[in-house]
Amino acid sequence: VIDDPLLLGALLPLPLAMDARRARWSACSQEVCYSRGALLSAFFGAGKTLPVKRGGGLDQAALGALAEKLAQGDWVHIFPEGHVHQGGELGRGRGSHDNQRDDDAKRRFGLLKRGAAKLIAHAPAPLLVLPFVHDGMHRLMPYDETGKCESKFWSSGSVVDVAVG
């Protein structure tokens, strides 16, 4: 959950990172960001995230709202794996529907969700799509084998690699 604000805040020029009008819109799962009390819900809402229901399909309200943001020319940021993933294999498992790739590609990249592709394919105007990947957040804020965060605070001194483009 901290990868989005921490990484983007560190990668962007300070004036852009501090301008709420130009900040990105994103999705966050209801069960992670919007079911832990009013204070956290308000926090994530103020951070321009929209609640997405895991397993809710491609026609759910959050994806429609993100599509509207794209149509208005806003910046939308979405991870195609659809959840926090640690362990070196992007988006492995978790109910994805990517059965078109061969076994080697699935092993290397895992199974991805289709929401990001739908947003791009159905955009009313050409989009600038800027892919990026990061590795090392698991050292900054590790999760246990059940998917629960092991600490409330991130560790310092960890290296996070980011590739853009």
Side-chain angles (χ1 to χ4, degrees):
V1 173
I2 66 163
D3 54 353
D4 189 356
L6 282 181
L7 280 178
L8 292 177
L11 293 172
L12 295 173
L14 189 58
L16 180 58
M18 299 302 290
D19 186 350
R21 293 168 306 186
R22 298 190 310 173
R24 68 37 181 164
W25 284 92
S26 190
C28 191
S29 69
Q30 284 178 282
E31 66 271 18
V32 172
C33 297
Y34 290 94
S35 66
R36 297 182 181 180
L39 184 62
L40 278 179
S41 293
F43 172 78
F44 285 109
K48 296 174 83 170
T49 64
L50 299 173
V52 66
K53 182 175 183 195
R54 288 185 176 159
L58 291 172
D59 294 325
Q60 62 180 291
L63 286 177
L66 289 173
E68 288 177 20
K69 299 300 179 189
L70 284 172
Q72 296 167 7
D74 289 345
W75 172 18
V76 172
H77 167 218
I78 189 166
F79 288 108
E81 66 273 25
H83 60 88
V84 172
H85 181 77
Q86 297 183 349
E89 293 184 31
L90 178 65
R92 183 125 175 108
R94 302 262 182 136
S96 293
H97 304 288
D98 184 0
N99 295 319
Q100 302 302 314
R101 287 189 274 168
D102 62 32
D103 287 339
D104 184 52
K106 287 179 184 176
R107 181 186 53 75
R108 287 182 290 123
F109 299 112
L111 303 173
L112 304 178
K113 305 291 183 171
R114 296 180 285 181
K118 179 181 179 178
L119 290 172
I120 295 166
H122 293 242
L127 300 175
L128 170 62
V129 177
L130 184 62
F132 74 95
V133 64
H134 58 80
D135 181 43
M137 292 300 289
H138 62 283
R139 291 185 294 272
L140 204 65
M141 197 161 203
Y143 285 68
D144 65 20
E145 60 278 347
T146 68
K148 185 175 179 179
C149 191
E150 293 179 353
S151 173
K152 301 268 185 220
F153 302 99
W154 55 87
S155 62
S156 62
S158 299
V159 174
V160 177
D161 296 309
V162 180
V164 179

